Amino acid sequence: MASDFPQRTGLYVDGEWIESTDETITVTDPRAPDEVVAEFAAGTREDAGLAVDAAVAAQDEWASLTSHERGAYLHDAADALESRFDELAELMVREMGKCLGAAEGETQRAIDLLNYYAEVARDYGGDAPPSASDATSIRTRREPLGTAALITPWNYPIAIPAWKMGPALVAGNTVVLKPASLTPAIGAELVRAFDEAGIPDGVVNFVPGSGSTVGDEFVTSEGTDVVSFTGSYAVGKHVQRDAAEMGKRVQCEMGGKNPLVVDASADLDRAVDLTIAGGVSGLAGQACTATSRVVVFEEVAEEFTERLVSAVEDLTIGDPLDPETDVGPKASGSNLEKDLEYVEIGDSEGATLLTGGERLDREGHYVSPAIFGDVDPDMRLAQEEVFGPVISVISVEDFDEAVDVANDVEYGLSAGICTNRLDHAEAFIDRAETGVVKVNQTTGGVEMQMPFGGRKHSSSETYKEQGRQAIDFYSHEKAVYVTR
């Protein structure tokens, strides 16, 4: 894997890579914070406006293409990504600190998402149910909304842009994309793939920059028609309000405080593996679907906790480019500090730190995964999103209490149960107040053909992402009646 660093990139507006007159975004390597990975021109509000203008100007031509023709560009962009697979995975590791296997998985997911929506485009359109009248034919047709403003997070810097761009473009919308300032480089490579695919000028536009300038312009501009945001609840609630006040269709996917219930029938080794895979390894807990609470029946809680602590202490923390590494660095110093702050909060609340929770004495943003026992469900540690490898073990008496604890948070994104009892599995599926429910799987990881979205503070609860349903968000459905 050979890449030249640092990379220097501008904005992509109306089919051209251009410079901005404003500040520079400097991306550093979480493993070695003094090493510069990429430098980006930070867009201004004026730059964002130019991107919106370009997207609006390209709308009619793009919408006039057949869905098959639009899908072909997605296939070609996927091929462009695949041709640089190793380079892109390495860039993601260097930019975010994600372990190599996870970075390779995300790169492949972006490729698969573009190919998936390219295939969906082949039968994209409407339905034609029979009319009550033999003289009338009825059908529906899907039409684009116009220009889609996409605001994406740093933790899945290529997959999330791909799963927003794919359905938006297939539906016939043009796109303006603002990546997170922490990880713009890999997002730029996704846009570069569309450029290499020859997508018409103005259809895809890319402006890195702050949320208060670029993001706000995209959300509030008269030129954008639909807004899709993924990020924190604190920011998302403002995005939803501002877009809704302007009458725009808006979709916000936000945080999570995801539980894994472990009942007395569970295979405890499996439960430990699911906890670590879902909340610690690969991304160092930096996922909205990460496991952050393990709700364990008291009769197996001691044994489960002992196995979990032992397994966590055996994990390899190190260079994420090393395939043997289980846990890499946090994406930034501020994210590391937040983890350490929650370790202090847990300790002050009376929870017992069983292992980890320490800044490692090495270069980079490294913290040892923390496991807390004696956690009360009302503690901040058990209620607030940490976004790091900090896991609370909560002991409960029975299934009903487990469900109550699992649901008793402001978030509702993903929940899992590890069990060998079918009645517990089915009851948990029925009663979990989340958008995703998983049985004997990690709380993280979702399939692209399935709808994705949460409840409560995890989502605006408007439209789902991913799957065929994602296109509904980016399109109008028109009812057509024809009588001969």
Side-chain angles (χ1 to χ4, degrees):
M1 294 182 290
S3 299
D4 294 327
F5 297 101
Q7 298 186 351
R8 291 178 174 82
T9 309
L11 323 178
Y12 185 75
V13 177
D14 203 17
E16 298 287 341
W17 291 99
I18 63 174
E19 291 295 325
S20 172
T21 58
D22 203 19
E23 301 176 356
T24 297
I25 297 171
T26 301
V27 180
T28 58
D29 192 329
R31 306 168 309 154
D34 291 335
E35 293 186 12
V36 175
V37 174
E39 294 177 343
F40 275 79
T44 63
R45 186 175 292 274
E46 180 181 4
D47 294 324
L50 292 174
V52 173
D53 291 344
V56 171
Q59 283 176 9
D60 290 345
E61 179 184 351
W62 181 246
S64 71
L65 300 180
T66 66
S67 59
H68 288 225
E69 291 171 325
R70 294 192 292 264
Y73 286 104
L74 271 66
H75 268 316
D76 290 345
D79 290 344
L81 293 179
E82 193 162 26
S83 71
R84 292 183 284 121
F85 183 92
D86 290 343
E87 174 190 345
L88 297 177
E90 180 188 358
L91 174 60
M92 196 184 310
V93 174
R94 292 182 181 273
E95 185 177 39
M96 185 203 151
K98 183 173 293 192
C99 287
L100 181 60
E104 290 174 337
E106 183 179 345
T107 303
Q108 186 61 55
R109 185 174 184 81
I111 294 167
D112 292 345
L113 280 160
L114 295 183
N115 281 324
Y116 171 76
Y117 283 109
E119 291 303 311
V120 168
R122 292 180 181 274
D123 62 0
Y124 170 73
D127 300 316
S131 170
S133 168
D134 290 339
T136 300
S137 63
I138 57 177
R139 67 181 188 275
T140 64
R141 57 176 292 169
R142 288 279 179 185
E143 297 178 348
L145 296 173
T147 291
L150 311 180
I151 302 173
T152 57
W154 52 263
N155 60 329
Y156 285 95
I158 193 168
I160 290 181
W163 84 41
K164 293 180 188 291
M165 291 176 70
L169 292 171
V170 163
N173 301 279
T174 55
V175 163
V176 291
L177 170 65
K178 192 202 91 64
S181 295
L182 192 61
T183 56
I186 193 68
E189 295 306 314
L190 174 61
V191 172
R192 198 181 307 280
F194 277 100
D195 184 57
E196 292 175 8
I199 201 160
D201 294 349
V203 173
V204 171
N205 303 273
F206 172 83
V207 185
S210 73
S212 60
T213 54
V214 175
D216 184 67
E217 180 65 22
F218 281 176
V219 171
T220 61
S221 170
E222 295 287 350
T224 57
D225 304 283
V226 55
V227 178
S228 181
F229 167 88
T230 299
S232 70
Y233 173 72
V235 177
K237 65 181 179 181
H238 294 293
V239 170
Q240 182 178 7
R241 179 200 63 202
D242 292 346
E245 285 179 352
M246 297 189 68
K248 298 182 183 185
R249 187 173 293 185
V250 59
Q251 169 191 70
C252 295
E253 292 302 331
M254 297 168 282
K257 191 65 179 173
N258 312 294
L260 176 68
V261 171
V262 179
D263 73 8
S265 74
D267 179 328
L268 296 186
D269 287 332
R270 184 184 206 179
V272 166
D273 290 344
L274 293 178
T275 301
I276 292 174
V280 178
S281 60
L283 279 73
Q286 299 171 120
C288 57
T289 55
T291 303
S292 61
R293 298 177 294 149
V294 188
V295 184
V296 190
F297 282 31
E298 61 182 13
E299 57 194 285
V300 294
E302 182 176 356
E303 183 178 358
F304 167 81
T305 304
E306 289 176 355
R307 295 189 191 189
L308 177 62
V309 169
S310 177
V312 166
E313 290 177 345
D314 284 341
L315 295 175
T316 299
I317 305 171
D319 185 348
L321 281 172
D322 184 344
E324 300 301 316
T325 294
D326 298 304
V327 185
K330 296 305 298 284
S332 70
S334 61
N335 291 327
L336 169 60
E337 292 299 331
K338 183 181 178 184
D339 288 358
L340 297 175
E341 178 184 350
Y342 271 99
V343 170
E344 292 181 359
I345 289 170
D347 183 65
S348 68
E349 290 182 314
T352 302
L353 180 61
L354 302 173
T355 190
E358 298 177 341
R359 185 197 307 267
L360 300 188
D361 186 17
R362 65 176 69 174
E363 185 181 20
H365 306 310
Y366 288 93
V367 62
S368 55
I371 306 298
F372 276 94
D374 302 315
V375 178
D376 186 277
D378 294 329
M379 291 179 177
R380 289 180 61 190
L381 194 65
Q383 290 288 320
E384 299 175 8
E385 184 178 40
V386 180
F387 223 66
V390 180
I391 294 176
S392 301
V393 179
I394 303 170
S395 178
V396 294
E397 290 187 2
D398 55 26
F399 181 78
D400 286 334
E401 185 182 2
V403 174
D404 289 343
V405 168
N407 288 336
D408 190 23
V409 292
E410 292 183 327
Y411 296 99
L413 184 53
S414 180
I417 184 169
C418 187
T419 181
N420 283 310
R421 289 184 54 168
L422 182 60
D423 59 334
H424 280 179
E426 292 295 340
F428 191 72
I429 290 169
D430 289 343
R431 294 170 60 183
E433 296 173 356
T434 54
V436 177
V437 186
K438 305 179 80 175
V439 178
N440 294 327
Q441 292 192 19
T442 65
T443 58
V446 292
E447 297 194 28
M448 69 187 71
Q449 69 273 25
M450 289 286 283
F452 176 76
R455 297 168 64 177
K456 299 188 279 191
H457 281 184
S458 291
S459 174
S460 55
E461 299 197 57
T462 46
Y463 289 78
K464 296 288 188 178
E465 295 198 278
Q466 297 201 122
R468 298 181 64 90
Q469 298 93 325
I471 297 183
D472 294 348
F473 173 66
Y474 295 102
S475 60
H476 290 292
E477 186 171 38
K478 180 181 287 183
V480 179
Y481 296 78
V482 179
T483 298
R484 56 183 179 271

